[in-house]
Amino acid sequence: MDDGKSTLIGRLLYDSKSIMIDQLEAIEKQSRNKEDGEIDLALLTDGLRAEREQGITIDVAYKYFSTPKRKFIIADAPGHIQYTRNMITGASNANLAIILIDARNGVIEQTRRHSIIASLLGIKHIVVAINKMDLVNYSQDIYNNIVIDYAQVANSLKLENVSYIPISAITGDNIVEKTENLSWFEGESLLSFLEAVEVQTDTDLKHARFPVQYVIRPQTEELHDYRGYAGKIVSGIYKKGDSVIVQPAGIESRISKIEIGGKEVEEAFAHQSVVIHLEDDIDISRGDLIAKKDELLQVHQEFDVLLCWMDSKPLKAGNKYILQHNSKTIRSVVKNIEYKLNVNTLQKEYDFEKIGLNDVIRATIKTAAPIAYDTYNILQENGGAILIDETSLVTVGACMIQ
């Protein structure tokens, strides 16, 4: 909080010329009260009136921009402990996390908490942006000391692919272009790093997982026997002729045809939306999972989760919810709560009064029927789920299956 996240994103958008003229005019008008006459770049993301009044980020703001090399979606997540659930929401689909540190304060409790959350969510790339270097006279010694301190945090959490970049969001030093003020820094500017970081290798092509979203059965004269299973491949590669198993029923078959955009192809891979045809007529419906025959896959009715509670109503053991796992929705019950996790220290608290908003816990969930899943640390795409309130249909919990 107050380390300059919204200003950094505003600077990225401003210096990369990704702001519309009318947006720029609007924030120029709202920045007139500033004594130095500078534009308040934080206004680009702090959209709520309460955020502007308090100078903090409350909700997750998504900003889209692109450069000639890459397209980006930035999730500006809040730093305040009250909004842990918002940060988890913002980070849940991220390839990379930028953890901002105020050069004057160094590594603090919030730094550790956000690093723990990034670790729990399995974010594969971490950039530690050491901000407000202008307020410490661009001191290389202060930068080096922060790098040493954060390296201990990264090591304790087993974070990999951690990079360090000194910046000043307010002045634009080392955001889009390198400047003389930080001439001692031999690395790239922040934007240059973001344009070049390799995220394609993060896609899991080893475990083939295809949750069925829709069964296509036209039953017309032209397509009398047509039966295709539509959905998005979340991981792995599928080829025509592959032996597959349909879970949770455990029925085996073989792929007879794969279609993309109405055209037949020999193979398809992760993140492509496809229609898969099988050689056998099998009872398959939305929520079933088609996997490669010889791949290990968990199929159980009861499993442990690490759960972030996102509702103002407390969670109690025995409460019933709808669990959504990929395209499958099923009735479930939180059977028991093992412990509450202190997200500041990673300590397990077995003695607790209640589970409230923003708490992270380990619990056991039982579903009305078996589901096919992977553990979150092995395959995030098939190891995450949400809990939905049965009456309000509000998402109340984010689960990482253990």
Side-chain angles (χ1 to χ4, degrees):
M1 191 173 100
D2 293 333
D3 284 359
K5 294 184 299 300
S6 298
T7 303
L8 167 61
I9 294 169
R11 175 62 68 183
L12 264 174
L13 296 170
Y14 184 76
D15 285 2
S16 62
K17 297 179 173 56
S18 301
I19 306 172
M20 299 293 182
I21 292 172
D22 58 338
Q23 278 184 299
L24 192 56
E25 288 174 352
I27 65 168
E28 280 174 346
K29 287 178 184 176
Q30 292 172 31
S31 302
R32 281 177 184 165
N33 296 331
K34 294 193 74 174
E35 292 178 8
D36 54 12
E38 286 187 4
I39 296 172
D40 186 356
L41 295 170
L43 294 176
L44 281 166
T45 54
D46 285 345
L48 299 176
R49 180 179 292 179
E51 292 179 322
R52 298 184 182 193
E53 288 172 352
Q54 298 176 59
I56 63 172
T57 300
I58 294 173
D59 205 356
V60 180
Y62 292 94
K63 286 293 175 183
Y64 299 75
F65 82 103
S66 61
T67 68
K69 295 182 179 177
R70 181 170 266 173
K71 292 180 180 178
F72 298 91
I73 303 174
I74 305 178
D76 180 15
H80 199 282
I81 191 168
Q82 278 178 263
Y83 306 111
T84 299
R85 64 170 177 174
N86 303 65
M87 189 203 158
I88 287 178
T89 300
S92 59
N93 289 313
N95 297 102
L96 178 146
I98 299 174
I99 294 182
L100 216 57
I101 294 178
D102 187 327
R104 299 169 300 172
N105 301 328
V107 176
I108 59 174
E109 181 185 291
Q110 286 188 13
T111 314
R112 293 186 179 89
R113 182 171 70 251
H114 296 155
S115 300
I116 287 169
I117 293 171
S119 170
L120 291 175
L121 289 170
I123 297 177
K124 293 180 172 63
H125 304 274
I126 305 290
V127 174
V128 180
I130 301 167
N131 192 27
K132 304 189 181 182
M133 291 297 295
D134 56 306
L135 299 181
V136 294
N137 296 318
Y138 302 98
S139 169
Q140 186 176 1
D141 287 340
I142 289 175
Y143 165 80
N144 288 339
N145 288 335
I146 293 172
V147 170
I148 292 167
D149 290 343
Y150 190 85
Q152 294 177 340
V153 175
N155 187 52
S156 65
L157 295 174
K158 296 183 173 61
L159 293 175
E160 299 177 0
N161 302 320
V162 181
S163 303
Y164 303 88
I165 301 177
I167 61 169
S168 172
I170 198 77
T171 62
D173 289 301
N174 217 21
I175 305 295
V176 173
E177 301 289 343
K178 297 193 69 175
T179 62
E180 283 300 311
N181 292 325
L182 292 166
S183 58
W184 47 264
F185 179 65
E186 296 178 358
E188 306 170 274
S189 69
L190 178 61
L191 184 59
S192 296
F193 179 88
L194 295 177
E195 286 180 323
V197 66
E198 182 58 62
V199 294
Q200 294 299 323
T201 54
D202 297 343
T203 301
D204 189 307
L205 295 175
K206 186 168 64 173
H207 304 91
R209 303 287 183 264
F210 178 73
V212 175
Q213 292 183 19
Y214 187 68
V215 180
I216 301 175
R217 188 83 171 90
Q219 292 183 307
T220 61
E221 277 192 34
E222 288 180 6
L223 302 166
H224 183 73
D225 296 320
Y226 188 101
R227 186 195 294 269
Y229 307 104
K232 179 182 176 182
I233 300 172
V234 297
S235 63
I237 301 170
Y238 288 85
K239 296 179 181 178
K240 185 177 177 179
D242 279 348
S243 295
V244 295
I245 184 165
V246 180
Q247 296 288 14
I251 302 170
E252 297 179 14
S253 187
R254 190 180 298 272
I255 295 176
S256 60
K257 187 164 66 171
I258 301 173
E259 293 176 307
I260 297 178
K263 295 180 180 178
E264 191 171 345
V265 296
E266 289 298 311
E267 69 173 28
F269 47 85
H271 308 315
Q272 288 186 312
S273 294
V274 303
V275 178
I276 287 179
H277 298 253
L278 301 181
E279 289 181 354
D280 306 288
D281 287 338
I282 303 170
D283 181 12
I284 298 176
S285 56
R286 176 180 170 86
D288 287 340
L289 188 84
I290 299 175
K292 292 280 189 68
K293 181 181 172 183
D294 298 325
E295 290 189 357
L296 292 174
L297 185 65
Q298 306 276 356
V299 182
H300 296 295
Q301 203 169 338
E302 193 172 304
F303 45 86
D304 290 341
V305 299
L306 205 59
L307 186 152
C308 173
W309 190 242
M310 306 168 80
D311 194 23
S312 53
K313 296 181 203 169
L315 169 65
K316 295 178 182 176
N319 284 9
K320 294 178 181 178
Y321 301 98
I322 298 167
L323 181 130
Q324 180 165 339
H325 174 252
N326 284 322
S327 55
K328 190 176 189 71
T329 53
I330 190 167
R331 292 171 66 89
S332 68
V333 61
V334 178
K335 198 173 175 186
N336 71 283
I337 300 167
E338 187 179 344
Y339 60 76
K340 183 159 77 170
L341 188 70
N342 186 321
V343 291
N344 296 320
T345 63
L346 276 183
Q347 293 294 315
K348 298 172 184 176
E349 299 173 0
Y350 294 92
D351 187 18
F352 51 85
E353 290 183 11
K354 65 175 184 177
I355 302 302
L357 179 65
N358 295 315
D359 282 339
V360 176
I361 64 164
R362 187 180 177 104
T364 302
I365 290 178
K366 186 172 183 178
T367 52
I371 67 167
Y373 63 88
D374 295 271
T375 56
Y376 191 83
N377 65 328
I378 291 177
L379 185 61
Q380 294 177 24
E381 291 83 353
N382 198 41
I386 59 172
L387 292 180
I388 302 168
D389 187 278
E390 290 182 306
T391 53
S392 67
L393 299 182
V394 169
T395 300
V396 294
C399 306
M400 291 161 276
I401 303 174
Q402 303 298 294

